[in-house]
Amino acid sequence: MLIRALEWSIPKVNGSSRLPATASPTSSLAPRPTEISGLYSRLLSGKVDDLMRKDAAGFLRKQLAQLDGQTCELPGSVRELEAWMLTTARNATANYGAYLAQRKAGAPRRYFSNRAHALFFLRAMAPTKLVDGAWLFGLIAHWRNPRFSNLIRTYLEELGEGTPHKNHVLIYRELLARCGIDPLQGLDEPLFTQGLIQLALAYNAKDFLPEVIGFNLGYEQLPLHLLITAYELNELGLDPYYFTLHITVDNTDTGHARRAVRAVLDTLPKYGDADDFWRRVRAGCQLGGAGVGTCSVIDSFDMEDEVVRIFAQKSAAGQGAHSDYCRVAGRHINDWLADPDGIPDFLAALQKHGWIRRGEPVENSRFWGLLQGQRADMFGVFSHYELQLIYDWIRGDASIDGRAYNSLSTAGNQPQCPSFRAASRLTSFGDDANLAQGEAPDLLDSDLPVMLQDLAKLDEADQNLMLLDAMSPARHWTPAGLYATRLFCQRQL
């Protein structure tokens, strides 16, 4: 986890703090607007060649240059690492205790104003969360080196040791799917920075070993924002498991935080330049704060801007699909949707003519009746996330109750939505023991049968190469990747 997100100024756009598509850290070294997400996608394609590695290494050097000279939270000496780790954790838990006391005394949620705000956060963080643990991938091929044992163990645990409901990336993917969130489409370019750093480290471990170790050291410490995020997601009826799993696995006793400190001590050169190695470890730790931090993402939410973005995105598909009798303010709907820049005026017209009644229950808005209900003519046009956003936007201040758009009770007869844990107690999720066995034997997958056939034809050395490839950031969360991880753990650990 991040020690502390690097906060950089987010420019205002039409009075909001939403990140513009071309926003970037204030540096002439920053990549061009399309370079970050493009390289991110290439490295996640599953076919990484030397040119991609070179591009990724160049990106890392630019990021390190940007951070050069900035304050590093690591202590000046490696001998102070354990004390620093314990102090960092104590500060996080003490501040969390203060937060809980404030909430108990009646303070509102600190992060998420409503359910749509939380879903916006989950979507914006997807480029980072969908490559969770990737920075250590480049070391897995060197599992025979005992100095890497703590780092290898950390990577395998990020992969859930091949167990589906413990694989961090798969957990987040399933959370996004349940929330109806398209994770990457239309995201602002800077949101890919942190994920790209992790992928770039994954494929350049040989040249950036100290930076990999330093990144791991900083990223695996317990931050306050993780604790608050888990608490408020649960409060809003959203599954916090991805975040609570990190709280437990990153503990300072036997968890990733402790292992990260040990990894530094294990790999510190005994014959080389230990001071230069430590300098580079500190630089790698700073990479964990590059890009857009967690708190900046949360603060950037502007509900009005997000509604406009979604309607503008839909306009391309909706333009030309409406009949001539579909009119608002005397204009055909097709005309309104022909120009995405005119969406704010279209929404204003819907409100002026009573189709949308802001600040009232959604049942009073005729437009909502087109989206939900027995005769919802626009059923399926908007995703679950988009419906939640429109629902909260219409309700205005009342959306602070966190209620889901498809809640059985929308009339406000309950003051607050049930927490995720409270709702889960009323639901049977099946036998967890079966989940621990991995995929069901009859699971349909295009890669797993081929992998099983190929493994049977190879000797052990070539089998290991195949397993390592399947454990890459692009594949480890798939059925074949999960199987490869389980087999690797059985053989090597």
Side-chain angles (χ1 to χ4, degrees), residues 173-194:
R173 281 180 169 273
E174 291 177 344
L175 175 61
L176 294 177
R178 290 197 302 273
C179 294
I181 297 174
D182 185 337
L184 303 181
Q185 182 180 357
L187 282 176
D188 295 319
E189 190 73 9
L191 293 172
F192 291 86
T193 300
Q194 186 54 223

Side-chain angles (χ1 to χ4, degrees), residues 20 34 37 65 90 98 127 220 234 253 287 340 345 351 398 411 469 475:
T34 58
S37 60
R90 282 196 296 266
E220 294 294 355
N234 174 64
D253 183 21
L287 284 173
D345 293 334
Q351 294 173 66
D469 181 68
R475 298 189 177 102

Side-chain angles (χ1 to χ4, degrees), residues 31-45:
R32 292 185 299 276
T34 58
E35 183 178 340
I36 301 176
S37 60
L39 183 53
Y40 176 96
S41 298
R42 288 164 60 201
L43 292 175
L44 266 185
S45 67

Side-chain angles (χ1 to χ4, degrees), residues 408-488:
L408 294 178
S409 174
T410 59
N413 59 350
Q414 290 180 310
Q416 192 74 23
C417 71
S419 71
F420 178 83
R421 292 189 178 94
S424 296
R425 285 194 290 269
L426 303 177
T427 307
S428 173
F429 288 98
D431 185 0
D432 286 344
N434 292 333
L435 289 175
Q437 302 304 315
E439 297 83 21
D442 61 345
L443 183 67
L444 182 64
D445 184 69
S446 58
D447 292 327
L448 185 54
V450 177
M451 168 180 278
L452 295 175
Q453 293 173 9
D454 290 347
L455 285 172
K457 303 173 185 177
L458 301 174
D459 60 27
E460 184 174 350
D462 287 336
Q463 285 181 354
N464 285 335
L465 291 176
M466 188 173 189
L467 296 180
L468 294 177
D469 181 68
M471 294 164 64
S472 71
R475 298 189 177 102
H476 68 75
W477 56 273
T478 67
L482 293 167
Y483 177 85
T485 305
R486 290 197 300 276
L487 186 55
F488 182 87

Side-chain angles (χ1 to χ4, degrees), residues 178-258:
R178 290 197 302 273
C179 294
I181 297 174
D182 185 337
L184 303 181
Q185 182 180 357
L187 282 176
D188 295 319
E189 190 73 9
L191 293 172
F192 291 86
T193 300
Q194 186 54 223
L196 178 53
I197 287 172
Q198 297 181 25
L199 290 171
L201 290 171
Y203 291 103
N204 288 281
K206 181 178 179 181
D207 294 331
F208 293 89
L209 177 60
E211 287 80 9
V212 169
I213 294 168
F215 185 93
N216 183 71
L217 176 63
Y219 218 74
E220 294 294 355
Q221 305 307 311
L222 178 66
L224 174 63
H225 65 70
L226 184 68
L227 296 161
I228 296 177
T229 296
Y231 184 90
E232 295 193 2
L233 288 177
N234 174 64
E235 188 177 23
L236 288 165
L238 296 168
D239 187 356
Y241 178 55
Y242 173 88
F243 299 91
T244 56
L245 178 63
H246 284 76
I247 293 170
T248 56
V249 80
D250 290 341
N251 71 81
T252 58
D253 183 21
T254 59
H256 293 183
R258 171 74 63 175

Side-chain angles (χ1 to χ4, degrees), residues 46-320:
K47 299 179 180 179
V48 178
D49 56 28
D50 290 342
L51 178 59
M52 292 183 197
R53 289 188 178 89
K54 182 179 178 181
D55 289 345
F59 171 77
L60 281 177
R61 293 188 180 94
K62 291 178 183 179
Q63 292 297 313
L64 289 166
Q66 288 179 229
L67 296 168
D68 187 34
Q70 296 189 15
T71 302
C72 178
E73 294 196 21
L74 286 182
S77 170
V78 71
R79 292 188 297 272
E80 303 170 31
L81 260 184
E82 181 168 352
W84 165 82
M85 172 194 68
L86 295 173
T87 299
T88 299
R90 282 196 296 266
N91 289 342
T93 53
N95 288 329
Y96 183 57
Y99 163 83
L100 293 177
Q102 293 169 3
R103 295 300 311 277
K104 187 175 181 180
R109 287 184 295 273
R110 182 179 298 182
Y111 283 176
F112 305 124
S113 55
N114 51 34
R115 190 179 177 94
H117 191 174
L119 296 178
F120 168 88
F121 163 77
L122 295 177
R123 176 177 179 268
M125 296 302 296
T128 301
K129 304 304 184 185
L130 294 180
V131 295
D132 197 3
W135 63 90
L136 292 173
F137 170 65
L139 302 181
I140 194 73
H142 306 280
W143 57 269
R144 294 181 181 87
N145 187 340
R147 302 178 80 175
F148 293 157
S149 61
N150 283 298
L151 299 168
I152 300 300
R153 167 53 62 185
T154 295
Y155 185 69
L156 294 175
E157 290 183 356
E158 295 284 338
L159 273 54
E161 297 180 348
T163 302
H165 69 290
K166 292 182 181 178
N167 180 287
H168 295 185
V169 171
L170 185 56
I171 292 169
Y172 204 81
R173 281 180 169 273
E174 291 177 344
L175 175 61
L176 294 177
R178 290 197 302 273
C179 294
I181 297 174
D182 185 337
L184 303 181
Q185 182 180 357
L187 282 176
D188 295 319
E189 190 73 9
L191 293 172
F192 291 86
T193 300
Q194 186 54 223
L196 178 53
I197 287 172
Q198 297 181 25
L199 290 171
L201 290 171
Y203 291 103
N204 288 281
K206 181 178 179 181
D207 294 331
F208 293 89
L209 177 60
E211 287 80 9
V212 169
I213 294 168
F215 185 93
N216 183 71
L217 176 63
Y219 218 74
E220 294 294 355
Q221 305 307 311
L222 178 66
L224 174 63
H225 65 70
L226 184 68
L227 296 161
I228 296 177
T229 296
Y231 184 90
E232 295 193 2
L233 288 177
N234 174 64
E235 188 177 23
L236 288 165
L238 296 168
D239 187 356
Y241 178 55
Y242 173 88
F243 299 91
T244 56
L245 178 63
H246 284 76
I247 293 170
T248 56
V249 80
D250 290 341
N251 71 81
T252 58
D253 183 21
T254 59
H256 293 183
R258 171 74 63 175
R259 289 198 187 120
V261 170
R262 289 175 178 167
V264 175
L265 302 176
D266 289 343
T267 55
L268 199 67
K270 302 300 187 291
Y271 299 105
D273 190 340
D275 290 339
D276 184 64
F277 188 90
W278 177 238
R279 177 191 64 79
R280 291 180 61 185
V281 167
R282 288 167 59 86
C285 180
Q286 288 180 281
L287 284 173
V292 187
T294 295
C295 293
S296 287
V297 167
I298 292 169
D299 292 343
S300 71
F301 178 66
D302 184 292
M303 193 151 55
E304 188 81 24
D305 279 0
E306 187 69 353
V307 168
V308 169
R309 181 193 68 81
I310 286 174
F311 273 82
Q313 181 178 303
K314 299 293 179 184
S315 65
Q319 197 275 330

